[in-house]
Amino acid sequence: MPQHNPYPVPEEPGVFIPVEVKGWQDGYDAGISSPPNTPPTPSVRNPDYMDAWEEGAASGHADGRTEGWRWAYFGGGSRPDPRGAGGPYEPQNSGEGGQEHSEVFTQSWPCVGERPLLVVLARFAPGQRGGDGLTGRLLARACTDKGVTRLYLPVSLHPSEAPQDRTGDPLTDAGYWHGTVQESLDEAAPEAIEHVTVRVVRFAALLRYEPTAEHDFFDLLPVNGQLPSNRLS
């Protein structure tokens, strides 16, 4: 089982969130996505953030070895290099079957990152404010409250030119197109498939989210298993 953020989050509204919450979560995401070694701690002004980041990175690296590595796809991370740090990082069977479009989404890549989950949270639970290391837990709680076990978001896999003016949408501002959050693969699939076939864009996928406590975990299910070649090296 994945290790969890040890820093408590105040439940009272309006209470300041300790910087250690974000520090640990950021470090964990980096640690589980960058084998074979634990990543170096970034130099920032807040020593409490740095200490928590270092703890989180160690936990993420340990989970990468035992639970499997994850790709920080939308965070600028390269495909994990597992040499000397466990088994190979390869696509898995998506487990999606028996649906109209399931044959298009047979592969899944385990990924990690807050940026796309901020988009999912904003659209699935309007009014919830992510960030500060809270995005994963808020999204998981919203899914539990609504009785939802999976969410899907159509996304592009290759960024285009980012808009000149900031939109406030973390994926759009990074140059990635995305569609609408849906609760089933068949509801979300047409947007991803259309992005490839109609717009003549080769690479799109479904982002699949399943609640995993506070973690920023998700899977990418590429259309027809196709990823940009520069992401596979």
Side-chain angles (χ1 to χ4, degrees):
M1 295 291 291
Q3 300 180 60
H4 296 292
N5 196 322
Y7 294 97
V9 176
E11 294 294 333
E12 300 81 3
V15 176
F16 178 75
I17 304 298
V19 70
E20 291 90 344
V21 174
K22 177 174 174 55
W24 191 95
Q25 206 65 52
D26 289 349
Y28 183 94
D29 290 357
I32 202 169
S33 62
S34 47
N37 302 312
T38 305
T41 304
S43 179
V44 297
R45 292 183 178 180
N46 192 318
D48 294 332
Y49 175 93
M50 290 177 62
D51 290 345
W53 197 100
E54 186 173 1
E55 294 174 18
S59 296
H61 185 260
D63 282 355
R65 286 179 174 272
T66 58
E67 304 285 328
W69 304 104
R70 288 182 170 268
W71 193 348
Y73 195 95
F74 296 104
S78 59
R79 180 183 176 188
D81 178 1
R83 288 176 293 183
Y89 180 81
E90 299 289 349
Q92 303 174 359
N93 186 303
S94 70
E96 299 282 356
Q99 301 186 71
E100 180 182 355
H101 299 289
S102 57
E103 72 281 357
V104 180
F105 301 96
T106 59
Q107 290 186 349
S108 66
W109 293 84
C111 295
V112 65
E114 183 181 44
R115 177 180 284 164
L117 297 192
L118 281 166
V119 174
V120 177
L121 176 66
R123 282 149 184 76
F124 180 67
Q128 293 279 13
R129 179 184 175 275
D132 296 327
L134 302 180
T135 303
R137 75 179 67 217
L138 290 175
L139 184 54
R141 183 180 300 174
C143 287
T144 299
D145 290 345
K146 297 183 180 184
V148 173
T149 58
R150 282 185 174 182
L151 293 171
Y152 298 83
L153 176 71
V155 291
S156 62
L157 294 177
H158 195 284
S160 57
E161 185 175 351
Q164 292 184 348
D165 297 324
R166 304 282 292 182
T167 68
D169 183 297
L171 285 179
T172 300
D173 289 341
Y176 291 97
W177 166 86
H178 69 80
T180 306
V181 175
Q182 303 288 357
E183 296 181 20
S184 76
L185 182 141
D186 272 345
E187 289 175 310
E191 270 193 293
I193 295 170
E194 181 182 28
H195 193 71
V196 172
T197 58
V198 176
R199 299 187 60 179
V200 198
V201 178
R202 289 186 60 193
F203 306 108
L206 290 181
L207 180 155
R208 180 178 67 194
Y209 170 78
E210 301 177 62
T212 315
E214 76 276 22
H215 290 304
D216 299 324
F217 294 167
F218 61 91
D219 295 321
L220 275 183
L221 283 59
V223 174
N224 295 321
Q226 298 296 309
L227 288 177
S229 59
N230 64 332
R231 295 301 186 105
L232 291 171
S233 59

